[in-house]
Amino acid sequence: MVGLRSLSSEMDLDRPNIEEYLTPDSIQDSPKKLHLHDLLDISPTLAEAAGAIVDDSFTRCFKSNPPEPWNWNIYLFPLWCLGVVVRYCFLFPLRVAILMAGWLVFFAAFFPVHFLLRGHDKWRHKIERKLVEMMCSVFVASWTGVVRYHGPRPSMRPQQVFVANHTSMIDFIILEQISAFAVIMQKHPGWVGFIQKTILGSVGSIWFNRTESKDRETVTRKLREHVHGVDNNPLLMFPEGTCVNNDYTVMFKKGAFELGCAVCPVAIKYNKIFVDAFWNSKKQSFTMHLVRLMTSWAVVCDVWYLEPQYLRPGETAIEFAERVRDMISARAGLKKVPWDGYLKYFRPSPKHTERKQQIFAESVLRRLDEK
C-alpha cells in the first residue's frame, strides 16, 4: 500500500496543474461531481483531437509497415526457418564479400587516379565518374537488386535538374549506377560523411546542413553555378528534403524549381514483397539499414524517367513544384499529403502548446459553470 501511495504521489507531481494555464480571475468554484459526459461534450477541442488521431496523415508518411506474418502453421514455419538460415548464413556473407571486394577494387583505382591525374582534369573526372557508377552497381548487387528503368536515360547537358521522390539514401545509389549524378544531400557523420567528402565530391555533389540557415544562400549559389556549367554532371535533387515511406509524397521544396532550367521528374517505386526500403533515420543508422537490405531476399524497384518540364507563363515556383509532384505521385502510385517533411525534425513551439492547454482549460471551466 505504501508503494501504491508513493506511486500515486509521483503521478500527481507529473500531472499538469490547470491553474498554470488560467488567469486568477477565470478560476471559480466548480461543482464537486464531474461526469465523463461533461468532458466529452467539449466538442471543439475534442473534435480537433479526435481528428488528429483518426487522420494523422503526417505521421503515416514516416512509418514503416511491418510485413504480415505468413509462417503461421506447422507447414510454413519450417520453410520460414530454412529461409532465415539461407539469408543470414549464406547470402549475407556472400554479399558482404562482394561489397568488400568492390571497395578494394574501387579504392585501388580511385585514389591513384584522383591524385596522379591532377593536371588532366577531363580524363580524371571521366574515370572517377565510371568508378563511382561501378561502386554503386556493386552496392545494388550486394542487395540482389532488381531494378527496372523506364524512359530515356539521363544525358550530360547544361540547364537541367533531375528531381525524385525520396525513400532512402539508396535512391541515389540506384540512380547513380547508370548515370553519374551530382547530388544535393544532407551532411552525414561517420563513414557516410567520409564518402561524401572524398568520393562523391569528385562528381560535383553539394552538401548542406538543414539546421544552419547560412547554408541556404551558399547552396543556392552553387546550384545555379552547377546547372549552367557545360561539363558538369547532371544535378539530382530530392525536393521532399527527407525520407518518406514510399506510400506518400510530402511537399516539394521550391529551390529546384527556381533555377530557370528544365526539371526532369524521376519516379521511384519499391516493391515491398521482400523488404521495405524505407530508411527511418531516427530509429536506425544507415549501416543497420544496409544490413537489413543485405539480409533480405532482394530489393525490387521501378524507376521512371519522365518528360522534362518547364515553368509555364504566370506559374509560380510553388505551383511548378506541385505540378511535378503530381506527375511523380501519379506515375509511382503515391498519395499526396499537404505536409512539409521538415516538420518531423522540429517540435511544436512551447507558446503554441501552452496556448492550446489554456484554451482547453478555459473550455472545461466554461462547461462546468453551465452545470
Side-chain angles (χ1 to χ4, degrees), residues 92 99 337:
F92 181 60
L99 190 59
V337 293

Side-chain angles (χ1 to χ4, degrees), residues 16-35:
N17 186 1
I18 193 173
E19 297 178 359
E20 296 178 1
Y21 308 106
L22 299 174
T23 60
D25 297 336
S26 64
I27 302 178
Q28 301 175 358
D29 294 334
S30 58
K32 296 182 179 180
K33 293 184 178 180
L34 181 63
H35 300 284

Side-chain angles (χ1 to χ4, degrees), residues 313-343:
E315 188 177 41
T316 65
I318 295 177
E319 293 171 343
F320 188 18
E322 281 300 297
R323 179 161 59 86
V324 172
R325 183 161 78 112
D326 288 339
M327 294 179 60
I328 294 176
S329 301
R331 177 65 272 185
L334 306 175
K335 301 175 183 176
K336 290 179 55 183
V337 293
W339 294 108
D340 185 343
Y342 276 11
L343 290 176

Side-chain angles (χ1 to χ4, degrees), residues 59-73:
T59 304
R60 287 203 300 264
C61 296
F62 309 104
K63 280 187 177 180
S64 299
N65 297 321
E68 295 183 3
W70 57 270
N71 55 334
W72 47 269
N73 62 25

Side-chain angles (χ1 to χ4, degrees), residues 179-307:
S179 179
F181 286 100
V183 68
I184 312 300
M185 292 180 67
Q186 161 75 18
K187 292 179 181 179
H188 290 276
W191 66 272
V192 177
F194 171 77
I195 293 176
Q196 285 180 324
K197 293 178 181 178
T198 59
I199 299 173
L200 297 183
S202 65
V203 294
S205 297
I206 302 172
W207 319 118
F208 68 92
N209 191 341
R210 61 171 55 94
T211 60
E212 295 183 9
S213 58
K214 294 182 180 179
D215 282 3
R216 296 179 182 178
E217 296 180 0
T218 304
V219 169
T220 301
R221 176 178 53 80
K222 290 182 178 180
L223 288 179
R224 295 186 181 279
E225 294 174 355
H226 187 98
V227 166
H228 293 86
V230 178
D231 297 326
N232 292 334
N233 293 321
L235 185 64
L236 174 64
M237 298 181 68
F238 299 102
E240 289 175 299
T242 187
C243 294
V244 187
N245 64 8
N246 207 228
D247 290 323
Y248 299 86
T249 56
V250 297
M251 294 171 58
F252 280 9
K253 302 292 183 296
K254 64 178 182 178
F257 306 90
E258 295 178 322
L259 300 177
C261 62
V263 175
C264 305
V266 182
I268 305 174
K269 181 62 177 179
Y270 292 93
N271 190 327
K272 300 181 182 181
I273 186 173
F274 294 122
V275 66
D276 186 357
F278 170 57
W279 176 38
N280 190 339
S281 58
K282 284 193 170 184
K283 295 184 178 181
Q284 192 178 48
S285 66
F286 187 65
T287 301
M288 295 308 300
H289 178 60
L290 288 180
V291 169
R292 186 163 63 90
L293 299 180
M294 294 172 68
T295 53
S296 67
W297 289 110
V299 174
V300 182
C301 81
D302 287 271
V303 177
W304 290 274
Y305 295 101
L306 306 180
E307 290 292 329

Side-chain angles (χ1 to χ4, degrees), residues 29-87:
D29 294 334
S30 58
K32 296 182 179 180
K33 293 184 178 180
L34 181 63
H35 300 284
L36 180 60
H37 64 80
D38 294 327
L39 289 178
L40 294 179
D41 198 26
I42 308 171
S43 54
T45 305
L46 293 181
E48 183 180 356
I53 294 173
V54 173
D55 187 24
D56 187 9
S57 57
F58 178 76
T59 304
R60 287 203 300 264
C61 296
F62 309 104
K63 280 187 177 180
S64 299
N65 297 321
E68 295 183 3
W70 57 270
N71 55 334
W72 47 269
N73 62 25
I74 192 63
Y75 306 104
L76 296 177
F77 185 71
L79 294 176
W80 177 81
C81 293
L82 178 62
V84 172
V85 172
V86 171
R87 287 188 290 115

